[in-house]
Amino acid sequence: MIVEEQVELSEVFMAHRSQLRWAALKILGNPERAEDVVQDAYLKVSEAAAVFHVKQPVAYLFQMVRNLAIDHHRRISFELNLFEGEDDGLHVPSHIGMPEATVISRQHLKLVAKAISELPERTRRAFELHRLEGQTHRAIAAELAISTSLVNILIHEAIDHCRAALQST
């Protein structure tokens, strides 16, 4: 009896295939994508029909195709938005290796080094442990015998001091 239900649903699908494709085409606006959705729906019908009996097979098939088309449309929209600006940076000239960029980077590095040297010892050490050695706030707090919230404050003070040194140029 289960096999009869599967054949019946598949037969209903094949009888309404062109209308199902049209429903997907209205949502997607692309015949190839609509065909992909209809094929996906047929695969699902082939698998699902053996599991349960469908009381309204035509409505079930149209809803399945509609849902698959909407999902397909959302996925394509997401991917387009995600990769939309990917080519935007291809024609931007690189400043890496240019003499001016190298000089500016070295000047900034000197300013930051000077700013760090001006920090109080505990603030400087907390900053170095965090930024240069990659230690966690908890590890820094244990090493300096202070609280993790104070470590956070010290690191932010050091960052603010370095920013101010860079902005003064």
Side-chain angles (χ1 to χ4, degrees):
M1 181 154 171
I2 293 175
V3 175
E4 291 174 4
E5 292 172 1
Q6 183 177 6
V7 171
E8 180 182 319
L9 193 56
S10 297
E11 288 174 5
V12 172
F13 187 94
M14 294 310 291
H16 292 88
R17 190 177 191 293
S18 61
Q19 291 104 346
L20 294 169
R21 187 175 181 278
W22 178 251
L25 181 62
K26 286 180 9 184
I27 294 170
L28 295 169
N30 182 304
E32 291 83 16
R33 290 183 185 146
E35 186 63 37
D36 288 345
V37 166
V38 171
Q39 288 178 9
D40 288 345
Y42 185 75
L43 290 174
K44 288 188 180 289
V45 163
S46 300
E47 296 167 0
V51 178
F52 60 91
H53 178 70
V54 178
K55 293 182 182 177
Q56 297 179 334
V58 176
Y60 173 77
L61 293 173
F62 273 97
Q63 189 63 46
M64 178 187 284
V65 167
R66 181 180 180 280
N67 290 347
L68 287 171
I70 290 170
D71 288 347
H72 193 77
H73 179 70
R74 286 180 182 155
R75 184 174 51 250
I76 289 171
S77 296
F78 173 74
E79 289 172 358
L80 286 175
N81 288 336
L82 185 64
F83 301 114
E84 183 176 42
E86 191 173 270
D87 295 335
D88 291 346
L90 290 178
H91 305 292
V92 176
S94 173
H95 295 291
I96 297 174
M98 295 183 71
E100 301 87 15
T102 304
V103 169
I104 291 171
S105 294
R106 286 183 182 158
Q107 288 174 345
H108 286 173
L109 188 57
K110 287 179 184 176
L111 288 171
V112 169
K114 183 176 182 278
I116 291 172
S117 70
E118 296 169 348
L119 293 170
E121 177 61 27
R122 188 171 63 172
T123 305
R124 183 188 55 74
R125 187 69 184 137
F127 179 76
E128 288 173 346
L129 289 170
H130 179 67
R131 290 295 228 184
L132 303 178
E133 296 181 25
Q135 291 191 19
T136 64
H137 287 97
R138 184 172 292 156
I140 297 167
E143 184 172 322
L144 300 179
I146 57 175
S147 69
T148 54
S149 58
L150 183 55
V151 169
N152 190 37
I153 291 169
L154 294 175
I155 291 170
H156 282 285
E157 285 178 1
I159 291 170
D160 290 342
H161 186 70
C162 290
R163 272 196 196 120
L166 287 172
Q167 289 176 349
S168 68
T169 60

